[in-house]
Amino acid sequence: MIFIIFGPPGVGKGTQAAKISQKYNFLHVSTGDILRASVKEGTELGKLAKSYMDKGELVPDNVIIGIIRERISDKDSKKGFLFDGFPRTIEQAEALDNMLSKEGQKIDSVISIELSDEEIVKRISGRRVCEKCGSMYHIIYDPPTNMGYCNKCGGGLYQRDDDSEDVIRTRLEVYRRQTEPIKKFYKRGGILKRIDGLGTIDDVFSRIEKVLKGIG
Ligand code: AMP
């Protein structure tokens, strides 16, 4: 099974993708997480990516497509792939289709989580991430038990550099201009499912599960 969790930054794609992959044993492929790991390691890829990420702009397609090609060929025992934060441009979407069709595979469903810009800004500005294990919290909607520390591993929580309000506005603008048009591409293929992103993490998760069950 191959799924894409689609939607604007801050809509909860990462949180939902982590829950789904754990429950259904999918390989969670988040290009944002891969890039952040490279930035942390200080690799050439990380240095290049950081210059775009800090401004809220997209990392060039050829770099992202290269990363995905490597992941897809990396055969794994999981039952499927769940892409999160990829594709973000029509070029990436077309490249993914080509890579999959060479392996005789195709995307089963694109789940688009929909939310207004106003709600997104509220969510992103309260978002905190664990520096050790990457778990995500929200200071109002999903606070950790001990403020500033991860419930799972005790690591310190921090705010991503690109979660500041001015960078969020750029990321939203980039999303509406470069990424949202992909929905038309998948709608034509009949695989686009839209769900409401308002409500708790569990509300959204159960909407996603309904879509998954409809397919599986
Ligand atoms: P995310 O964690 O998915 O919000 O990604 C954080 C940042 O990483 C984005 O704002 C982009 O700068 C970069 N990035 C992640 N995925 C992609 C992608 N598929 N294409 C281009 N840039 C990406």
Side-chain angles (χ1 to χ4, degrees):
M1 304 293 274
I2 300 172
F3 296 99
I4 295 172
I5 285 280
F6 192 84
V11 78
K13 297 189 298 292
T15 307
Q16 297 295 341
K19 274 173 82 81
I20 300 163
S21 355
Q22 204 183 7
K23 183 159 176 185
Y24 294 93
N25 195 26
F26 291 159
L27 184 69
H28 177 188
V29 181
S30 157
T31 40
D33 286 350
I34 294 168
L35 295 172
R36 275 184 290 281
S38 307
V39 171
K40 211 170 166 186
E41 285 164 23
T43 62
E44 284 308 307
L45 167 66
K47 282 178 206 150
L48 174 85
K50 192 172 176 359
S51 62
Y52 294 93
M53 293 167 83
D54 283 351
K55 287 183 277 183
E57 289 168 6
L58 296 184
V59 173
D61 285 336
N62 62 334
V63 175
I64 299 290
I65 291 165
I67 292 175
I68 294 292
R69 186 170 288 123
E70 221 173 274
R71 287 291 151 125
I72 288 185
S73 62
D74 193 6
K75 293 271 180 277
D76 196 280
S77 61
K78 305 270 183 189
K79 289 196 186 121
F81 285 104
L82 183 64
F83 292 107
D84 153 20
F86 172 86
R88 263 176 153 100
T89 62
I90 296 280
E91 286 71 20
Q92 292 179 18
E94 286 173 345
L96 178 62
D97 273 3
N98 289 337
M99 283 186 252
L100 293 175
S101 72
K102 278 192 192 130
E103 308 252 337
Q105 292 177 308
K106 63 175 182 47
I107 299 160
D108 292 280
S109 187
V110 178
I111 303 170
S112 169
I113 310 179
E114 320 247 322
L115 206 60
S116 70
D117 285 6
E118 198 191 331
E119 185 65 24
I120 286 166
V121 173
K122 258 198 255 167
R123 287 202 189 177
I124 302 195
S125 48
R127 182 157 78 173
R128 299 293 181 269
V129 187
C130 173
E131 62 189 1
K132 265 204 210 153
C133 75
S135 292
M136 275 191 280
Y137 299 87
H138 190 284
I139 51 175
I140 297 162
Y141 306 128
D142 182 24
T145 315
N146 293 320
M147 252 324 169
Y149 297 96
C150 179
N151 290 351
K152 289 179 193 148
C153 73
L157 303 184
Y158 72 102
Q159 183 175 37
R160 275 167 48 174
D161 290 343
D162 60 348
D163 278 353
S164 65
E165 187 154 347
D166 53 332
V167 183
I168 298 171
R169 299 270 172 208
T170 308
R171 290 165 66 200
L172 274 172
E173 197 265 317
V174 166
Y175 172 77
R176 300 288 177 211
R177 185 165 36 88
Q178 290 181 266
T179 306
E180 205 167 26
I182 306 179
K183 279 204 275 190
K184 280 196 200 119
F185 177 84
Y186 289 128
K187 203 173 165 201
R188 275 201 298 275
I191 52 171
L192 182 74
K193 314 272 184 227
R194 295 167 193 258
I195 64 158
D196 185 359
L198 261 186
T200 64
I201 292 172
D202 287 341
D203 291 337
V204 178
F205 185 59
S206 70
R207 285 175 207 139
I208 295 176
E209 281 200 296
K210 275 190 198 136
V211 173
L212 294 179
K213 283 174 187 156
I215 298 155

